[in-house]
Amino acid sequence: MAEDMPMLNISSDAGTFDRKTNRRHPSSAEKWKRKKLESKRKAVFEPQESSASKQRKINQTGQQHTHKQKLQTPKSPSQRSNNRDTEENGDQREIFAAKSPSKVKTFPKKAPKEHGDYGRPFIKTSSLFRNNPEIPDVLSPAVNLVKEKVFTSNTFEELSLHPHLVATLHKVLNVTSMTSVQKQTIPVLMSGKDAVVRSQTGSGKTLAYGIPVVQFLQAMQPKVKRSDGPLAIVIVPTRELALQSFQMFQKLLKPFTWIVPGVLMGGEKRKAEKARLRKGINVLISTPGRLVDHIKNTLSMAFSAVRWLILDEADRILDLGFEKDLTVILNALNAPGLARQNVLLSATLTEGLSRLASISMKEPVSIHVSEGSGETVEVCPQAAPQALSDSYAVPERLQQHVVVVPSKLHLVCLAAFILTKCKFEQRQKLIVFISSCEAVEFLLTLFTAVLCENPNTTSTKSTSYLNFYRLHGNMRQEERTEVFQEFSQCKTGILLCTDVAARGLDLPQVTWIIQYNPPVSAAEYVHRVGRTARIGAQGSSLLFLTPSETAFVDVLANHNISLSEMKMVDILATLMKVERFKDRGKWDNKRSAAAFEQEVRERATVLQTDFENYVHANKESLQTAKSALQSFLRAYTTYPSSLKHIFHIRNLHLGHAAKSFGLRDAPQGLGSSITTNPANSKDSKKGKDKAKRPPKKLTAKQRVSNLMRSEYFSGIEGESKSKKKRKKKKGQAEEEESTAA
Ligand SMILES: Nc1ncnc2c1ncn2[C@@H]1O[C@H](COP(=O)(O)OP(=O)(O)OP(=O)(O)O)[C@@H](O)[C@H]1O
């Protein structure tokens, strides 16, 4: 791993160390030594290698790894990681390098003149930029884009709605003409039929079911009373989406004050929710888990009057994690046997839904908004959802990009992209998708500490153009709600989040969606990017892939999604404009392209070193980084089997992945359950043996538990067994308490 360490090449004998900047200035003796070694620099820099020489190096890599591991043995990893500051670490590396035979390269002592000295220690860039897998060109296959027209020229007046409802749409919701999905769905639902609705993200599906429900309820005779209990139930996969749908119903129901909407989200005290349920909620919006909780534990929960069941993001709700909950809900609803209208909606409904349709729907109308089908609505009994193709429509004004970044460079590349957008462009609102709650927390802390502080001053005041927010399922509900509201209202900001924010959230003016960790399916990709370019607006997205993951572009192409490539070097080049590097001198066009590239590499290395210094500054931050890495690895094991040929934990290089968490080494004992790349194994011989063994087959139960764990990583809904048990106990206690009261 030694070669993977960031090399601030500093000798121990003299020089001054600037504690403010964490950098050491070389002594004159050192400078002389460096000068002598200048002639060797070419051998070290190797700016452009031929593919033949690259291949040779790849062939040698295994040998080099083994050798370097041997060199490191005098110190245990834990001892190494306890070395707080770079100076100490730098000494350590030099000692090892001195003892090593010729295969281990000697590091240069001085940067070439054209790169400037600026009185800074020379920065060896190879640890970040060498031994990375080759970056292939990504050619997104040609696809037939599925187009959906968002707006129609038809108005809500054409629908025979209650005039107060039309007025509310105009005045409160500020909408006048219908979107395509509304034009097709509202009349079908108003005629009393069940429907399966698929239309692109941000096309107005919420009002497409909200308007018919309100129209129906306000017209009911005798007039709706609170004591009637739930008449319409809306199930959504996340708490924030529940809150958002609830707020939409609140607005729509403004003129019809006798109809009461309510939301059950979890996070709130069950006792308080129970009290609200007892008082009476007519339009009940809930996450599946919370509703099941009340079905099982709230005696006063009655479903005898339910006339509408709406599953928004229906494909998500049908995922394994929620299926059990849904069965409980359907059993409870089906018991009284009242005629009920059922609606399923999502931007990515596929044939998997036929199972649910057959359980709960009667001759559903299939509404599929796309070019060509714009004016027609088919009535397809039972098998309707199967007719839905696997081609997904994405918003027309969404610009989709992909960037291929080796694992080691992930962190600096994300940081550079955030800086590019937020510092040098106006009014940027970014959402960054990350695979686990722990990794979100880690990146928030790291970026806030390293990017928001100005290294040239002692002030810790954060820079005004970088406002970080975070959202994931391990946060307290009040905090989640607060962040959701704040990020909705802010003009600029960066939301670091898990997939809790992937579905349905209507966050205004989001300009960029960054998928730092790839999604678990093409459908999830569509929902993530759908947080921008909503309702006809413009937006952009960027998908990060490692070189071994580029086949995911073909998976997306199979669903008619096409991406254009962005080059990592172009993203990193932003570092040339960043103020924190201003002491490195001004750059102009007169310098050679190679010098420019070298300077970019050096700056990226300085930034990576800042990240690593922060991570290794104390035990706590080191542990946080390790936990984040571990959770990332665990999340990586949960890709479905259909994508395992692309996203397999064995393809990951642990040392490189560790670097993307600011760690200088892959921590030991990352969890025996995680299958690792044999090349990462401490004992390469053992690793080879391991590689021969066929991968352990998981039982169905294990696969399910893996998926559930994946939910827990993003914190969408699934919970660990022990957490559920604790909650159940608490609930029972509350129940007893309230009965006693
Ligand atoms: N007819 C309309 N005219 C103008 N704006 C509208 C109209 N209908 C809905 N909107 C607005 O469009 C935005 C997106 O709507 P909505 O959240 O319902 O989309 P969606 O199709 O459910 O998206 P997703 O698939 O991501 O859940 C909302 O801000 C909503 O207020």
Side-chain angles (χ1 to χ4, degrees), residues 151 156 173-179 181-182 199-208 241 244 312-313 346-347 502-506 527 530-531 534-535:
F151 282 105
F156 290 101
L173 286 146
N174 215 9
V175 297
T176 44
S177 56
M178 284 186 271
T179 63
V181 68
Q182 289 160 358
S199 77
Q200 68 187 6
T201 52
S203 57
K205 291 187 286 297
T206 321
L207 281 181
L241 188 50
Q244 188 178 287
D312 200 357
E313 310 297 342
S346 176
R503 293 260 183 172
L505 295 193
D506 188 49
H527 288 282
R531 296 319 98 210
R534 296 175 73 73
I535 206 86

Side-chain angles (χ1 to χ4, degrees), residues 598-661:
Q598 178 58 26
E599 179 63 23
V600 170
R601 287 173 176 218
E602 290 192 10
R603 289 180 184 209
T605 305
V606 170
L607 187 54
Q608 175 73 22
T609 307
D610 286 347
F611 287 137
E612 290 178 16
N613 285 346
Y614 177 82
V615 164
H616 288 261
N618 58 55
K619 274 188 184 165
E620 201 187 329
S621 54
L622 190 62
Q623 191 47 49
T624 310
K626 285 180 185 175
S627 306
L629 168 65
Q630 192 158 13
S631 71
F632 157 76
L633 294 173
R634 254 188 266 128
Y636 208 86
T637 62
T638 61
Y639 279 95
S641 52
S642 58
L643 290 181
K644 283 270 194 243
H645 62 292
I646 303 170
F647 304 108
H648 199 292
I649 190 88
R650 275 179 303 191
N651 299 339
L652 286 183
H653 186 301
L654 284 192
H656 292 191
K659 209 146 176 85
S660 70
F661 286 85

